[in-house]
Amino acid sequence: MFTRAIVKTPAENFSSGLTTANLGQPDFSTALLQHEAYCQALRKCGLDLTELPPDPNYPDSTFVEDTAILTERCAILTHPGAPSRQGEVSEIRPTIGQFYNRIHTLTAPGTLDGGDICDADGHFFIGISERTNEEGARQLADLLLQEGYTASFVDVRPVPGILHLKSGMASLGDGTLLLIKELADHPAFENYQRVIVPAGETYAANCVRVNDTVLMASGFPQVGNLVERLGIPRLVLDMSEFEKMDGGLSCLSLRF
Ligand code: GLY
């Protein structure tokens, strides 16, 4: 069960962050409204929120998930793959220190973004991507093993249009994974129940299971039906302005 989440309000220069999406400039006031609706959804799932103020020094820093891996046993601070984002980690460290005594830190030359890590009930899938290199993945796997968890690697570099592993998958809990078809046959997933995202709805693969509920992006009815058939209640959120900045639902919070 999650009881808390850390979120960070988008800064006014949010649109000057990194993106490859080619969907146009995000509208800042709409992004703020969508962010507030996201926070409300987390509260509705029973989470206590720590809301950090906007930081214009780091326009991507609303995507807090990339800075840390939070587990029941420890926190692991990342070393993000984009140089413009690496300073986000020291900014968030004091907040994580309010909740964790046991904090590990990944170090260069390893790089790793939290968006590449999918926690499937204590087994961690670690994506190797444009942002997470093999050294960063290895450092994280070693730390997770020391802490009593298990991990496996998934190389997403050959999959077009995928920034992070969780741009193409989500753990829905109870041994079920939501996967884009390009990832569905990866050997790391063979012992899981696999629900495949229909073509054209890739963005909806980035769902988040928060306790008994799945948060998902609006505008993806086929994935909505698939989740509904699993019997998991859904909260559907408009994510249009974050999608323009290569961001998904999971990126906007650290849940623990
Ligand atoms: N804009 C999110 C990222 O590229 O890291």
Side-chain angles (χ1 to χ4, degrees), residues 18 60 63 85 131 163 245-246:
L18 301 168
D60 280 310
F63 300 119
R85 301 198 59 192
R131 299 286 177 87
L163 175 64
M245 297 308 296
D246 279 347

Side-chain angles (χ1 to χ4, degrees), residues 14 17-20 59-63 66 82 84-85 88 113 131 163-164 242 244-248 251:
F14 163 65
L18 301 168
T19 187
T20 56
D60 280 310
S61 60
T62 191
F63 300 119
D66 290 316
S84 66
R85 301 198 59 192
E88 293 176 27
D113 283 11
R131 299 286 177 87
L163 175 64
H164 289 130
F242 297 100
K244 290 173 184 171
M245 297 308 296
D246 279 347
C251 319

Side-chain angles (χ1 to χ4, degrees), residues 15-72:
S15 65
S16 60
L18 301 168
T19 187
T20 56
N22 216 11
L23 294 171
Q25 282 272 111
D27 178 71
F28 179 60
S29 43
T30 308
L32 285 180
L33 291 173
Q34 291 179 354
H35 193 265
E36 184 46 36
Y38 177 84
C39 292
Q40 284 293 4
L42 292 177
R43 288 188 200 100
K44 210 165 165 183
C45 295
L47 305 195
D48 237 347
L49 298 196
T50 299
E51 297 182 68
L52 301 175
D55 183 353
N57 292 321
Y58 298 102
D60 280 310
S61 60
T62 191
F63 300 119
V64 284
E65 184 184 55
D66 290 316
T67 60
I69 315 304
L70 301 183
T71 76
E72 284 184 3

